[in-house]
Amino acid sequence: MIFRDGLFQGSVIAITGAGTGIGRTTAIALASLGADVSLAGRHIGTLQETACKVEKLGRKALVVPTNIRNPEEVNHFAEATYQHYGKVDVLINNAGGQFIQNSLNLSPNGWKAVVDLNLNGTFYCCQAFGRMMCQQGHGNIINMSAVVFETGSPGMAHSAAARAAVVNLTKTLALELAPSGVRVNCISPGPIASEGFIHELPSSQYDETIQRIPLGRMGTLDEAASVIVFLASEASSFMNGEVVIVDGGTRLRGAMSFLTD
Ligand SMILES: CCCCCCCCCCC/C=C/C(=O)SCCNC(=O)CCNC(=O)[C@H](O)C(C)(C)COP(=O)(O)OP(=O)(O)OC[C@H]1O[C@@H](n2cnc3c(N)ncnc32)[C@H](O)[C@@H]1OP(=O)(O)O
Ligand SMILES: NC(=O)C1=CN([C@@H]2O[C@H](COP(=O)(O)OP(=O)(O)OC[C@H]3O[C@@H](n4cnc5c(N)ncnc54)[C@H](OP(=O)(O)O)[C@@H]3O)[C@@H](O)[C@H]2O)C=CC1
């Protein structure tokens, strides 16, 4: 680990989508640096696996099964975290995802599911934790966008629109919450070799994806997590309302199509 031991000693960090992929790797990295964590996601089994790894590192882990598409469940996640730890220093809005579908075939419910997850769920978490952070007088929120936020992305209309909105939400919240000592930034990764991404990417597009990446390979889970750890740390204390792109230069090649036919 590139960061100093004990960097997050005494910190409490809430993470959504913490049972798999980037969220799990980030939770474990933060715990290895001293943080206690609160873990959310829909599936309790994978959250408990992450919690086990955190506890083996000598840190505390609270598991709060949460569907972030439901604002009541999000409020419960925030309240349970505060009741358990008495504060939250950092919120990492990592949960997200989508399916590939061309726009004309997207059902209203399919569009809504992806926008609810990536935009509305992120907003509910920012609001619930942001209120508590403003009351305690400090806080740090890290949102998850995706490199598709600034290009057209055939097959990803729902997600790309939501990810662009998350970038704008980040900037507005950065302005609204700064006077209360809360900063808000955003990470925009892709492609990162998580189980979720490899599973969702059509196998026929694997080679093309690699060819599109100037660095010639996908990013690792550690490479995404380490940027989140940086944003969570005081090393980024004067960053507010920023989008950090972690894509090996992929966006420089322009719009990305996920459609196979
Ligand atoms: C080659 C060019 C590319 C190179 C460059 C690459 C650049 C990288 C950019 C990376 C961008 C982002 C990457 C990632 O996000 S990686 C993480 C991947 N993980 C996931 O996406 C998670 C898996 N997905 C899901 O869980 C789901 O898709 C979803 C997020 C929507 C949640 O689904 P859920 O099951 O909860 O949804 P519902 O049951 O409520 O259903 C709601 C409606 O949505 C429709 N639906 C759901 N899944 C699909 C599907 N796979 N295909 C079609 N439709 C789907 C569902 O049918 C419901 O609609 P209806 O009621 O109308 O049927
Ligand atoms: N890998 C990549 O290249 C990129 C990833 N991203 C984003 O990074 C984040 C992490 O993705 P990654 O680790 O790759 O993929 P994963 O599919 O492994 O992670 C997605 C996580 O989100 C959680 N999640 C999904 N829906 C909900 C929900 N309704 N409520 C709460 N949690 C939910 C899942 O847990 P559960 O199913 O238990 O709820 C899962 O842990 C996502 O937002 C993804 O879209 C962005 C750009 C590129």
Side-chain angles (χ1 to χ4, degrees), residues 140 174 178 182-185 230-242:
N140 179 357
V182 179
R183 58 196 181 93
V184 189
N185 290 291
F230 162 69
L231 288 173
S233 79
E234 284 304 296
S236 63
S237 55
F238 203 52
M239 290 177 71
N240 191 29
E242 280 306 324

Side-chain angles (χ1 to χ4, degrees), residues 17 20 22 42-43 66-68 94 96 117 145-146 163 189 191-192 194:
T20 65
I22 297 170
R42 290 168 303 175
H43 297 99
T66 307
N67 182 345
I68 64 161
N94 164 77
L117 170 58
S145 184
R163 307 303 185 143
I192 303 295
S194 66

